[in-house]
Amino acid sequence: MKTIIGKITIDILTSIYQPFWFAILLSIMTMFFYLYVKCPEGAGKGWKAAIRTWIDHFKRDREFRKKYILFFYITMVLFKTLINRDMWMNPLCDVWGVWGIYRYNTVTGQRILTSECIENFFLLMPYIVLMFWNFEEKIFGKKVYIGKIILKSIQIAFLSSLTIELLQLFLRLGTFQISDLFFNTIGGLAGGIIYFLVNAVAERIRQIRN
């Protein structure tokens, strides 16, 4: 049991560590484009002025920081699912996918320990939380209900996961797997519920203080 937990922990930490600095840099660059659209009056004044504007917005603009964190995590997801993937001759070779912590070698029959299903469960959980955090009013309107949370969590997680799987299929980067769709969607649902619970606790604290 200790070996299994250790192996899964190492796999998950490695999948976070590998794209971390790449995601940091790409997110910084992405937010420069965001600023160009949001504050076009500051464009064309040189790279030093652009850096100062970026830092100023990061310090003072809460919405800017929220979107930076969202872009950062999206980059992490894309690195894991698309960017850092080998080309596959047949991306439909394992459509059913992996549904447990062991993968079976079809040639030798050997069981191979894998954290794939656990990683897929956690992959879109922070993504859904960050999406709701950034676009709560646009997604839910003025009132957030648990029923709407569940529906939107499943919808966004499934469509996002399906988009990734289809890109893997068409670009031949990795394999198209139904298990990935399932665990990504369930993880997204868990992220939505976590967001609802945190919101409910925060609202309760505000009511007590007032």
Side-chain angles (χ1 to χ4, degrees), residues 1 4 7 17 58 69 76 81 85 90-91 100 105 111 128 160 162 172 175 187 192 204:
M1 186 63 180
I4 294 173
K7 172 68 166 55
Y17 168 77
F58 190 82
I69 296 170
M76 294 275 285
T81 57
R85 284 294 184 97
N90 181 13
N105 188 312
R111 289 200 314 172
I128 293 297
S160 299
L162 181 62
R172 295 188 175 184
T175 57
R204 180 62 177 168

Side-chain angles (χ1 to χ4, degrees), residues 42-108:
K45 296 183 178 179
W47 63 271
K48 290 183 179 179
I51 291 174
R52 284 197 298 269
T53 302
W54 196 102
I55 293 173
D56 185 59
H57 273 78
F58 190 82
K59 287 180 178 178
R60 301 182 181 182
D61 190 343
R62 182 171 178 265
E63 292 300 315
F64 183 86
R65 291 194 298 272
K66 286 166 62 175
K67 285 180 173 57
Y68 173 80
I69 296 170
L70 175 62
F71 284 133
F72 167 77
Y73 193 76
I74 289 174
T75 304
M76 294 275 285
V77 171
L78 292 177
F79 186 94
K80 173 69 176 175
T81 57
L82 291 170
I83 299 172
N84 191 34
R85 284 294 184 97
D86 295 327
M87 294 285 290
W88 285 73
M89 291 302 295
N90 181 13
L92 293 172
C93 63
D94 187 19
V95 174
W96 190 240
V98 180
W99 295 85
I101 61 173
Y102 288 100
R103 176 192 290 276
Y104 287 88
N105 188 312
T106 55
V107 178
T108 64

Side-chain angles (χ1 to χ4, degrees), residues 7-21:
K7 172 68 166 55
I8 291 173
T9 302
I10 290 172
D11 286 349
I12 292 175
L13 290 177
T14 300
S15 68
I16 294 173
Y17 168 77
Q18 286 179 338
F20 185 81
W21 292 110

Side-chain angles (χ1 to χ4, degrees), residues 9 18 32 98 104 107 118 122 125 156 163 165 203 205:
T9 302
Q18 286 179 338
F32 271 112
V98 180
Y104 287 88
V107 178
I118 297 174
F122 285 108
M125 189 184 294
I156 296 172
T163 300
E165 293 299 314
E203 182 63 28
I205 291 173

